[in-house]
Amino acid sequence: MTYPTTPSVGDLATRLMADAAKGKKQRGGRHITEVPVHGGSKEAGSRIEEAFYRRLSAEDRDDAKRAIMEAFAQRTKLRREIRAGERTELSAFDQLCLKITRSVRDVFLALLNMERAFRGRVFPSYEQIGQEANCGRTTVWEALAALEAIGLIERLRRYVFTRKGGRCTSEQTSNAYRFRVPELLRKLFPFWRRPSPVPADEISRQQQRAEDYEAMRATLTEDERIMLDTADPGLGRALIALRKSVAAKGGGSLDS
């Protein structure tokens, strides 16, 4: 179980600008600078990005490598059975495994090497991934989609916020990545490599911590939540000023 993620500066500004637009809907997200960014993007360098990264232990890295190899082997097995007429129906998991081609495997292993080299902080461009995996940009894009679909990676869209000459700019940048091994792939591991089940009391403690965190956030004012969620205190104060301006124009408060 993971803790709930808090909104980024982009999320906060999007909410404020949406209120100012009086219900006008937009596709994706829009930063305070009025420059579009992809929906769900988080500010590069923010605490949310830092919390997203996860450095793998040597054992976790071995498990991730075993998982991609097991998925690739499962694809080979399924293709052989399909050609022989032994398999006529495919489960959703089987269909995901069929997408784990050699290129997908190589992209994952390239990302895993980066994780080890950069201690969990993985945010390469598509071109960098392609160079390491010896494939093109389109292949990288398709491979990342397949890896995300089967649950081997999670990615975080990021944008860069800068101030130049009194002007604020915002632009999309490379994604961040972290790794996980889904239970369906762990079931393909040899018995001795499968993890022990999480004790019920530990699950209960994790749930309690998540509930405590949400309860703490519920006690904060909107201004306090903005300062908590913003990487730059100066920008946080600017957002608070913007929030108050929007509230004054609308004749109401944005506090929840």
Side-chain angles (χ1 to χ4, degrees), residues 14-23 246 254:
T14 298
R15 287 166 50 195
L16 295 173
M17 298 309 296
D19 285 333
K22 299 184 183 298
V246 171
L254 295 181

Side-chain angles (χ1 to χ4, degrees), residues 110-156:
L111 287 173
L112 205 57
N113 287 337
M114 294 178 191
E115 186 282 329
R116 180 178 57 184
F118 298 104
R119 302 181 179 181
R121 297 178 58 82
V122 184
F123 51 93
S125 65
Y126 285 3
E127 288 76 15
Q128 289 172 320
I129 298 172
Q131 185 176 5
E132 290 295 321
N134 195 28
C135 58
R137 180 185 175 90
T138 300
T139 300
V140 169
W141 184 88
E142 293 173 345
L144 292 173
L147 291 169
E148 192 170 29
I150 204 170
L152 280 168
I153 64 169
E154 296 173 307
R155 54 177 152 179
L156 179 73

Side-chain angles (χ1 to χ4, degrees), residues 47 58-59 120 137 142 173 249:
R47 283 179 289 182
E59 182 178 355
R137 180 185 175 90
E142 293 173 345
T173 187
K249 292 179 181 179

Side-chain angles (χ1 to χ4, degrees), residues 73-91 94 97-98:
Q74 183 72 0
R75 174 184 185 271
T76 302
K77 177 184 175 184
L78 287 169
R79 284 169 58 85
R80 183 171 60 248
E81 291 175 351
I82 291 171
R83 285 196 298 267
E86 300 171 358
R87 181 69 71 99
T88 57
E89 295 183 2
L90 297 174
S91 67
D94 291 337
C97 286
L98 284 173

Side-chain angles (χ1 to χ4, degrees), residues 9-46:
V9 174
D11 296 327
L12 295 170
T14 298
R15 287 166 50 195
L16 295 173
M17 298 309 296
D19 285 333
K22 299 184 183 298
K24 181 180 179 181
K25 293 184 178 180
Q26 301 171 354
R27 183 177 180 181
R30 184 167 290 274
H31 194 262
I32 190 172
T33 59
E34 288 297 311
V35 178
V37 295
H38 290 307
S41 297
K42 308 301 179 186
E43 184 182 6
S46 67

Side-chain angles (χ1 to χ4, degrees), residues 8-217:
S8 69
V9 174
D11 296 327
L12 295 170
T14 298
R15 287 166 50 195
L16 295 173
M17 298 309 296
D19 285 333
K22 299 184 183 298
K24 181 180 179 181
K25 293 184 178 180
Q26 301 171 354
R27 183 177 180 181
R30 184 167 290 274
H31 194 262
I32 190 172
T33 59
E34 288 297 311
V35 178
V37 295
H38 290 307
S41 297
K42 308 301 179 186
E43 184 182 6
S46 67
R47 283 179 289 182
I48 294 177
E49 181 191 357
E50 292 304 315
F52 174 81
Y53 292 122
R54 181 185 304 142
R55 185 179 181 183
L56 300 179
S57 65
E59 182 178 355
D60 289 340
R61 198 173 296 113
D62 287 344
D63 282 351
K65 186 177 294 186
R66 179 177 289 274
I68 190 65
M69 300 308 292
E70 291 288 356
F72 183 67
Q74 183 72 0
R75 174 184 185 271
T76 302
K77 177 184 175 184
L78 287 169
R79 284 169 58 85
R80 183 171 60 248
E81 291 175 351
I82 291 171
R83 285 196 298 267
E86 300 171 358
R87 181 69 71 99
T88 57
E89 295 183 2
L90 297 174
S91 67
F93 177 64
D94 291 337
Q95 294 175 18
L96 291 174
C97 286
L98 284 173
K99 295 180 180 180
I100 306 301
T101 63
R102 189 179 302 275
S103 294
V104 174
R105 180 199 65 183
D106 291 346
V107 165
F108 183 80
L109 293 177
L111 287 173
L112 205 57
N113 287 337
M114 294 178 191
E115 186 282 329
R116 180 178 57 184
F118 298 104
R119 302 181 179 181
R121 297 178 58 82
V122 184
F123 51 93
S125 65
Y126 285 3
E127 288 76 15
Q128 289 172 320
I129 298 172
Q131 185 176 5
E132 290 295 321
N134 195 28
C135 58
R137 180 185 175 90
T138 300
T139 300
V140 169
W141 184 88
E142 293 173 345
L144 292 173
L147 291 169
E148 192 170 29
I150 204 170
L152 280 168
I153 64 169
E154 296 173 307
R155 54 177 152 179
L156 179 73
R157 283 177 166 174
R158 306 184 308 142
Y159 68 86
V160 176
F161 177 81
T162 57
R163 294 187 183 90
K164 293 181 180 179
R167 177 178 173 81
C168 296
T169 60
S170 176
E171 61 180 350
Q172 204 72 34
T173 187
S174 62
N175 299 322
Y177 303 92
R178 67 182 180 189
F179 304 85
R180 59 187 297 270
V181 178
E183 289 303 315
L184 286 174
L185 283 178
R186 285 192 184 277
K187 291 180 180 179
L188 300 178
F189 286 14
F191 180 77
W192 58 273
R193 291 287 299 183
R194 299 176 191 175
S196 301
V198 179
D201 58 341
E202 176 58 24
I203 294 176
S204 177
R205 282 194 292 271
Q206 292 177 359
Q207 292 174 339
Q208 186 60 52
R209 284 196 292 267
E211 291 170 3
D212 290 345
Y213 179 82
E214 284 300 311
M216 179 275 291
R217 285 186 58 80

